[in-house]
Amino acid sequence: VIRVRVIGCVLLVSGWGIVMAAVVMLRGWQASVFIGAGCAVEALGLGLLTAGYRAIQLSVGRGQR
Amino acid sequence: MNVGLCVVCMMLIPLAAAGLALIHQGLGRSRSAAHSMLGTICALGIAAIVFVMVGWSLTGFPGGASHVLFAGTLRWNWLGAEPLLARGVNFGGAGAGGGLEMCLQMLAVGLAAMIPVSAGGDRWRLAGIAAASAVLAGLMYPLFAHWAWGGGWLAPRLTGGFSDAGGAGAVQVVGGFMALSVAWILGPRRGKYAADGLASAIPGHNIVQVLFGCLVALVGWIGLDAAVSMVYYGAGERMLAGIVVNAVLCASAGCLAAVALTRVRYRKPDASLSANGWIAGLVAGSAGAGFVTPVAAVIVGAVAGVLVTYMVEVFELRLMIDDPGGAVSVHAGAGMWGLLAVGIFGGGGSMLFQVVGVATLVGLMLPLIHVGNLLLNRLVPYRVDRDGDWQGMDVRELGAGAYPEFVVHADEFVPR
């Protein structure tokens, strides 16, 4: 679970890196495409981070921790 | 710019804080009501002091000192470089600069700092609230505030792009992500989820205060939108009427959309979700403030109201995030929608840069805030101990309940 969360965080930052690279280096439709790709990577990272925490939330809420 | 009018608008901002504080404690349990209110006041106070002493130097203001990276022809303004302890601020006289911006930012960062108190309701220790507020005001908030407002790389005067005329991104989304991180770290209130994973409802203890808080917050929000628009976006006095109209329309549309949706889905309108719809409308409308048309404001508010109603449910039932006040949905969710809506409805920002702004919030600010909270949680444990969970935060941390003569908690007498 910890690994999933770490990967999620790394993907979030990587996605932002792609977005920033596109803003700095590209123009026009190419920039839009890469910014979209960066956002998709961020969405994947957010999904993984959320999934990583879901199991922990459930066990705490049941009073197991 | 009419400085006097601007300061009057800023003086309204604490009413937004008062409204949110009422909403937070009303949506929590009665046995943690005083703790929630005190936590909110502590968050505001610590955020104000830390921001003025430390955070302001990183935030800066347009035309002020800043750290700039040069890569070829690219000029990358990434951080303010004002002196620490507010030594460089001149509040009056010749060459006055930065005082107005500092005043606005000090009030705005307080709003951002109090948002997570709602998500951590009934289980977040006062020491944790204080530590998190200090880090938010001293490091996290100034980063994005500089980029969006302080002359940084996202600022509209440089790119002509990203627009956040009322703090939907810098204040609401940053505060909302802080709330999400805190909710993740704290975990749900004990007994929130049954063994089979079903969530049990823990209703707020005073819905009248919640709804009154909505009305109070409206006045403060108008002040916030107006002050940011005037200080950073050059809005004139005539624009104020548009800001008031749009704020009321956004809030009304958000609330009515939530009333209608909950009426259809649950057969009766849900008061707490409707209150969330009201605040979500205000949050989403903040991004465009007076720069969008009234029709667009109604659409933005209505979508925010619908969005929040579904998000609260998804967070609680699917993602197992226990957020008693719906802070993550209301502030982060509606805030991001508002920022994107400015791109759609043409409120001064280009769609591409609105997306870049949201991507920066999600891709950089969220991990940064979360890692910061994880480290802080090691130093100052956020969650109250097991007894505190049952007793309530008022008795556990403050030594007395908020309503000692009127409320008896059966849980306190459960054998442990």
Side-chain angles (χ1 to χ4, degrees):
Chain A
V1 171
I2 290 173
R3 195 173 296 168
V4 170
R5 283 184 282 157
V6 171
I7 293 170
C9 271
V10 170
L11 282 178
L12 279 173
V13 179
S14 307
W16 181 70
I18 294 170
V19 170
M20 294 318 297
V23 169
V24 172
M25 295 192 290
L26 301 173
R27 290 286 174 270
W29 65 269
Q30 290 129 324
S32 304
V33 168
F34 271 84
I35 287 171
C39 290
V41 173
E42 285 187 11
L44 188 62
L46 191 59
L48 281 178
L49 192 58
T50 308
Y53 269 104
R54 191 175 176 278
I56 297 171
Q57 304 292 311
L58 195 56
S59 67
V60 175
R62 285 171 181 165
Q64 293 170 353
R65 285 159 56 103
Chain B
M1 180 170 58
N2 186 333
V3 175
L5 188 62
C6 201
V7 172
V8 169
C9 290
M10 288 180 199
M11 285 160 66
L12 295 177
I13 296 175
L15 286 175
L20 286 182
L22 283 172
I23 293 169
H24 293 171
Q25 66 97 17
L27 287 174
R29 284 169 163 156
S30 61
R31 61 191 187 190
S32 302
H35 185 273
S36 170
M37 206 51 130
L38 183 63
T40 301
I41 291 171
C42 286
L44 276 172
I46 290 169
I49 292 170
V50 173
F51 180 80
V52 171
M53 297 298 143
V54 181
W56 168 250
S57 75
L58 308 179
T59 308
F61 60 99
S66 59
H67 295 288
V68 180
L69 287 177
F70 290 96
T73 56
L74 182 73
R75 186 177 178 276
W76 187 260
N77 185 335
W78 67 283
L79 199 62
E82 294 295 316
L84 283 169
L85 307 177
R87 279 172 293 143
V89 177
N90 181 3
F91 287 106
L100 210 57
E101 288 87 348
M102 175 195 269
C103 179
L104 170 58
Q105 296 282 357
M106 180 191 72
L107 295 165
V109 76
L111 273 185
M114 65 185 288
I115 291 168
V117 177
S118 172
D122 297 328
R123 60 209 192 284
W124 197 11
R125 292 173 60 235
L126 208 52
I129 293 174
S133 302
V135 171
L136 179 77
L139 187 63
M140 311 296 183
Y141 174 89
L143 207 56
F144 195 81
H146 175 72
W147 294 345
W149 291 337
W153 61 272
L154 263 175
R157 288 177 192 182
L158 296 178
T159 60
F162 183 73
S163 177
D164 181 10
V171 179
Q172 310 299 338
V173 178
V174 169
F177 282 158
M178 190 80 179
L180 176 62
S181 170
V182 165
W184 270 336
I185 290 169
L186 289 171
R189 289 167 287 180
R190 216 165 288 280
K192 175 67 185 174
Y193 295 102
D196 56 2
L198 278 178
S200 53
I202 304 178
H205 84 282
N206 194 333
I207 202 68
V208 176
Q209 281 185 3
V210 172
L211 295 171
F212 179 64
C214 288
L215 296 174
V216 175
L218 172 66
V219 182
W221 234 276
I222 289 170
L224 178 66
D225 289 356
V228 173
S229 297
M230 283 196 278
V231 171
Y232 292 114
Y233 293 85
E237 293 163 29
R238 284 187 164 276
M239 177 71 86
L240 288 183
I243 290 169
V244 175
V245 167
N246 282 355
V248 172
L249 289 180
C250 278
S252 306
C255 182
L256 293 175
V259 166
L261 187 60
T262 51
R263 169 74 179 78
V264 169
R265 296 189 74 203
Y266 314 128
R267 299 191 177 188
K268 288 182 179 174
D270 185 298
S272 64
L273 283 175
S274 303
N276 278 341
W278 177 276
I279 299 296
L282 287 173
V283 168
S286 280
F291 293 94
V292 295
T293 62
V295 174
V298 170
I299 296 170
V300 169
V303 171
V306 171
L307 194 68
V308 158
T309 306
Y310 281 108
M311 281 180 78
V312 166
E313 197 174 299
V314 168
F315 278 129
E316 183 174 328
L317 303 182
R318 305 271 178 209
L319 304 181
M320 311 294 178
I321 295 170
D322 184 15
D323 177 7
V328 182
S329 319
V330 169
H331 297 279
M336 286 192 286
W337 155 242
L339 289 172
L340 294 176
V342 169
I344 296 169
F345 295 107
S350 76
M351 189 62 192
L352 198 65
F353 266 93
Q354 294 303 113
V355 172
V356 170
V358 171
T360 303
L361 285 161
V362 176
L364 187 69
M365 294 310 294
L366 177 58
L368 199 63
I369 286 170
H370 192 49
V371 169
N373 273 317
L374 285 171
L375 293 175
L376 262 188
N377 187 40
R378 299 262 175 187
L379 297 171
V380 187
Y382 278 8
R383 178 140 190 160
V384 73
D385 59 15
R386 197 179 180 83
D387 282 353
D389 254 328
W390 293 119
Q391 285 177 331
M393 300 300 286
D394 284 359
V395 170
R396 189 64 182 172
E397 290 226 295
L398 307 182
Y403 313 103
E405 294 176 11
F406 302 106
V407 180
V408 175
H409 302 296
D411 282 356
E412 288 175 13
F413 304 106
V414 173
R416 289 188 290 274

